Every structure is written in C-alpha cells, then in structure tokens.
C-alpha cells in the first residue's frame, strides 16, 4: 500500500483531483491510500464545498484555512502547514495540480524535505513571467520527480527546458520522468457530461435557449486589477450582446465580483447592470458549468480550464488573454487569442459567427489520463 498526499486549494484543483480520487476508489483502493490536504486558498461554498458535494470527492483530511492574502503571506502559511503534515503523514509522494499558489507551496514544502513530487499538468507555459502562475509552474516542474503533461506542447516545453525524455528508473528529483498522458479535466468532462444534462436546470432557471447565448468568465488578475483591461472587456461584452441581441451569462469569480464596481467606469458599470441581455451570476457548480458550456453558442474566457472545456464540447472560444498555454486550441482554429482588446474581441466574434465548420481534433487523450497516472505512480514511487 502506498500513501499519496494530494494538495488542493483553488477551484480547478478540486475539480481536477476528482478524477484521480475516483480512479483510486474504483480501481486501486487495495494499493493506494490518498490523504487530501485542502490549503483553504478558495473557501466560499461556491468555490469549494459545492464541488465536494457534487463530484463525490472524499472530504479533505486536513484544511489549512490559508485563505486570501498577498502571494507571500498566503504561500508562506501554506508551506508551513503542508510541511507539518508531510512530516507527520510521511507519504510516499505528494500530488500537485496545475499552477496556483497551493501548487507552489506544495512544491517548496515537499522538495525541502525530499518527498517526491508528482506534478499533474506539467510543462504548460505561457512564456509570460508577469503571470504568477508561470512562476509557480516553472518552480514546481523543476523539483518534480514524475511530470505528467496533458499535451504534446507541454511535453515539448519540458524537453526544450532540458528534461531528458529517455530517463530510466529509479526516478528521483535529479532523474525525473516526463510523460505526455492526456488531461484529467477531459476525463472529468466525459464522466460528468451526461449527469450534467440530467441534473442541471441552469438554462431553464436563466431563460437561456440552447445554442443562443454566450458563456463568459473573467478572473485573471491582470484583467480584474487593471481598469483599462476590465473596461475594454465589458465594453466588448456589452456591444456584442446589444448588436446581436444575444444573451450573455457570466458566472463571476469572487475576485472579479469584488472589483467590478471599483474598476469599471461608473457609466459602464450602470450600463452593464441595466443591460437585460447580460446576466451576471455567482460562481456555479461544475455540473452547471458543463451544462452552460455544452449548450452555448460560443465561450469567451480568460480561464485555462474553461478554454479547454469549450473545446471538449466543440465550442469556439475567444481567449481574453494575450497568450495561452493551450496553444493547440488556437492552432486548431477553434480558439482566438483576442486579449482584453475590444476591437479584437468583436472581430473574433464576427469571424466565428461566419465560420460554418470547426475542427476539434483529439488532443487531450481518451478520458483515462487519471488511470494512467495512477498506474505510473504505482510502478515508480516506492
Ligand atoms: C487562483 C489562482 C489562479 C487560478 C484561480 C482559479 C494563484 C496565484 N492564482 O486565482 O491561477 O486560475 O485561482 O479560480 O494561485 N476570493 C473570495 N473567495 C474565495 C476565494 C477567493 O472572495 O473563496 C477572492 C478574495 O478577494 C481573494 C481573491 O478572490 O483575494 C483572489 O483569490 P486567490 O485565490 O488569491 O486568487 P484567484 O484570483 O482566485
Ligand atoms: N468552473 C465552475 N464554476 C464556475 C466557473 C468555473 O465549476 O462558475 C469550473 C470550470 O468548469 C473549470 C474550472 O472551474 O473546470 C476552471 O476554474 P477557473 O476558471 O477558476 O480556473 P483556471 O482553470 O483558469 O485555473
């Protein structure tokens, strides 16, 4: 029996972790014991608890309640808490997801006391170090023992950075193993898709017609914190809704919700608030989100996860950032990087309106990434 210690903290990590926990429960419960540590980075019920209730994720064994704060303060609290638990639990390895401050804290705490790190979603790069996530990913990858990249581009990034693709066991900090293995988010999307269809009432509740609304999410720190960018995004959304008479639903991240009245001009703020076509709602559950993605005409987002889920459901996506780690989406022609640029966003929308057929090649595996990851952990972590 090996013991894995999983770190989760931010919304997307809770969702990603569901895939591995499910596989452990269904296929490897006699070989693997999972201890879950929630850092408490996200704590509102609709950013955390809702996913445990809905996705059948085991209740965390520990919650560090780190909460919000500056990067340094938040990460430091998490490092301290994770170190203590690692020393007590003595797991065979730590599982880290993605690129948040919770990921970084796990990487620092585990590497200092030589607990092997398994990084799920390794190798992704925006090549923009002003993004806090880019720093977190690079640091985490550099101290990991098993690195699972969801995409070929991610795997190639690691090779370009000097990771050897031909290492042989035993793997260690100094002899890491890199994999291209598919995406656990795709596993989850396939697994929960029909359940979402059965259970979600979100379209009905919000009077949305199938294929006749846009789904928008905005939470990236530069978009929320820089008034010029936030204003440009909302001007574009407002114009698109009015000129096309199309409804827009915007489940708003608490970060954005808190900054909307402060960073939007008062005129635009009241225009948006009084535009009946724009429906701003609180963050929704994963099943509701899947239902919204599956039935939208198009998705506009600065989220990493939502970009991909749009692709999984064969929806075009306007990326509200200056670059993306998921470059395959753009290369397939189904996603356009429009940044927080009003003109570019509207141009992308007009282009997608006229596009008759999109290509959605198989890019993210076969829905069994979590099982593969679990098998490799069992083979290589002792
Ligand atoms: C974090 C991740 C980001 C990820 C996002 C997923 C980092 C550096 N960023 O960004 O990579 O895409 O999560 O959603 O780790 N807040 C609440 N309630 C909550 C959580 C947050 O009100 O439950 C508010 C607080 O005002 C907080 C702000 O949101 O200061 C930002 O939260 P934080 O976790 O620091 O970063 P995110 O923007 O959520
Ligand atoms: N998500 C959700 N409810 C919402 C918004 C997003 O369940 O109101 C899900 C979404 O389907 C995806 C994940 O959260 O699986 C993405 O998280 P987020 O956009 O917060 O972060 P990112 O992926 O950019 O790190």
């Amino acid at each position: 029996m090996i013991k894995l210690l999983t770190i989760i903290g931010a919304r997307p990590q809770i969702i990603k972790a569901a895939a591995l926990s499910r596989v452990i429960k269904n296929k490897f419960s006699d070989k693997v014991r999972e201890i879950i540590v929630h850092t408490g980075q996200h704590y509102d019920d609709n950013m955390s608890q809702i996913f445990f209730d809905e996705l059948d994720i085991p209740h965390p064994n520990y919650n560090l309640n780190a909460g919000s704060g500056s990067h340094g303060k938040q990460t430091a609290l998490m490092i301290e808490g994770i170190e203590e638990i690692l020393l007590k639990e003595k797991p065979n390895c730590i599982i880290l997801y993605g690129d948040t401050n919770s990921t970084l804290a796990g990487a620092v705490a585990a590497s200092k006391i030589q607990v092997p790190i398994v990084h799920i979603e390794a190798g992704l790069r925006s090549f923009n170090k002003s993004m806090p996530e880019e720093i977190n990913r690079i640091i985490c990858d550099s101290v990991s023992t098993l690195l699972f990249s969801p995409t070929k581009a991610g795997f190639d990034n690691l090779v370009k950075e000097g990771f050897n693709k031909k290492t042989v066991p035993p793997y260690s900090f100094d002899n890491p193993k890199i994999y291209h293995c598919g995406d656990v988010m795709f596993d989850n999307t396939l697994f929960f898709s029909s359940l979402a269809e059965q259970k979600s009432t979100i379209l009905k509740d919000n009077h949305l017609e199938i294929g006749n609304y846009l789904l928008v999410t905005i939470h990236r720190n530069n978009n929320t914190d820089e008034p010029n960018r936030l204003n440009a995004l909302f001007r574009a959304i407002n114009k698109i809704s009015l000129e096309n008479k199309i409804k827009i639903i915007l489940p708003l991240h608490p970060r954005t919700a808190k900054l909307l009245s402060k960073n939007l001009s008062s005129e635009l703020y009241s225009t948006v608030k009084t535009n009946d076509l724009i429906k701003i709602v609180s963050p929704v559950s994963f099943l509701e989100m899947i239902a919204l993605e599956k039935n939208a005409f198009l998705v506009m987002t600065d989220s990493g996860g939502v970009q991909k889920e749009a692709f999984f459901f064969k929806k075009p996506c306007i990326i509200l950032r200056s670059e993306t780690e998921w470059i395959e989406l753009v290369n397939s022609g189904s996603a356009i990087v429009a940044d927080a640029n009003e003109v570019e966003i509207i141009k992308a929308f007009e282009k997608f309106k006229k596009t008759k057929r999109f290509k959605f090649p198989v890019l993210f595996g076969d829905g069994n990434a979590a099982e593969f990851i679990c098998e490799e952990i069992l083979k290589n972590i002792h």
Side-chain angles (χ1 to χ4, degrees), residues 10-12 41-44 47 67-69 71 74 99-102 132-133 136 219-221 253-255 258:
R11 167 170 68 188
Q41 179 171 351
H42 286 174
Y43 43 85
D44 291 347
M47 295 294 286
S68 304
H71 288 282
Q74 186 185 52
D99 53 21
T100 71
N101 287 346
S102 299
E133 293 83 358
N136 295 346
H219 77 274
R220 214 40 79 179
N221 64 329
H253 190 289
R255 171 183 206 112
K258 284 176 185 167

Side-chain angles (χ1 to χ4, degrees), residues 255-324:
R255 171 183 206 112
T256 323
K258 284 176 185 167
L259 288 166
L260 212 57
S261 61
K262 178 168 173 254
N263 286 347
L264 281 192
S265 74
S266 52
E267 195 192 340
L268 184 57
Y269 182 73
S270 66
T271 305
V272 168
K273 285 277 172 186
T274 52
N275 180 345
D276 290 338
L277 293 166
I278 300 179
K279 181 109 185 140
I280 295 180
V281 296
S282 300
V284 299
S285 78
F286 185 58
L287 295 185
E288 287 170 334
M289 194 62 184
I290 289 184
L292 287 174
E293 291 165 341
K294 211 172 174 177
N295 294 299
F297 170 64
L298 174 151
V299 174
M300 290 165 59
T301 188
D302 61 8
S303 157
V306 178
Q307 276 173 57
K308 269 184 301 164
E309 286 162 359
F311 185 89
F312 300 158
F313 290 118
K314 301 189 173 12
K315 301 294 170 185
C317 180
I318 301 176
I319 300 171
L320 307 174
R321 286 180 43 197
S322 54
E323 74 284 306
T324 178

Side-chain angles (χ1 to χ4, degrees), residues 101-310:
N101 287 346
S102 299
T103 317
L104 174 67
V108 174
S111 59
K112 293 282 179 177
I113 53 173
Q114 300 287 293
V115 174
I117 296 171
V118 174
H119 189 202
I120 299 181
E121 227 177 59
L124 299 172
R125 298 289 180 265
S126 63
F127 303 101
N128 170 5
K129 289 205 184 88
S130 69
M131 264 185 101
E133 293 83 358
E134 184 76 350
I135 310 284
N136 295 346
R137 303 176 180 125
I138 293 172
I139 293 176
C140 184
D141 282 343
S142 71
V143 290
S144 292
T145 291
L146 302 184
L147 296 89
F148 292 97
S149 174
T151 59
K152 174 79 169 50
F155 182 86
D156 291 346
N157 287 336
L158 292 171
V159 174
K160 279 185 218 142
E161 286 175 17
F163 283 86
N164 180 354
K165 55 180 168 184
K166 293 192 175 141
T167 51
V168 291
Y171 301 121
S172 65
F173 284 98
D174 293 316
N175 183 41
K177 168 74 177 166
I178 60 173
Y179 301 87
H180 169 205
C181 70
D183 195 329
V184 292
M185 298 272 286
F186 186 50
D187 297 12
N188 275 333
T189 301
L190 292 183
F191 188 82
F192 289 109
S193 175
S194 53
L195 192 63
E197 206 78 82
Q198 289 159 30
K199 285 205 164 172
S200 174
T201 56
I202 192 146
L203 265 69
K204 201 163 150 245
D205 298 345
N206 288 284
H207 312 291
L208 299 172
E209 286 168 28
I210 292 179
N212 196 23
Y213 65 89
L214 313 184
L215 171 64
V216 180
T217 77
I218 298 169
H219 77 274
R220 214 40 79 179
N221 64 329
N222 61 344
N223 283 338
T224 59
D225 300 5
E226 292 177 27
N228 283 345
R229 293 178 65 89
L230 196 65
N231 277 279
L233 290 171
F234 274 88
R235 276 199 308 273
I237 292 166
N238 191 51
K239 250 193 206 161
I240 289 174
S241 74
L242 294 174
E243 284 174 9
N244 296 277
K245 303 262 172 300
I246 190 157
K247 285 192 181 168
I248 297 190
I249 184 155
L250 217 166
L252 212 54
H253 190 289
R255 171 183 206 112
T256 323
K258 284 176 185 167
L259 288 166
L260 212 57
S261 61
K262 178 168 173 254
N263 286 347
L264 281 192
S265 74
S266 52
E267 195 192 340
L268 184 57
Y269 182 73
S270 66
T271 305
V272 168
K273 285 277 172 186
T274 52
N275 180 345
D276 290 338
L277 293 166
I278 300 179
K279 181 109 185 140
I280 295 180
V281 296
S282 300
V284 299
S285 78
F286 185 58
L287 295 185
E288 287 170 334
M289 194 62 184
I290 289 184
L292 287 174
E293 291 165 341
K294 211 172 174 177
N295 294 299
F297 170 64
L298 174 151
V299 174
M300 290 165 59
T301 188
D302 61 8
S303 157
V306 178
Q307 276 173 57
K308 269 184 301 164
E309 286 162 359

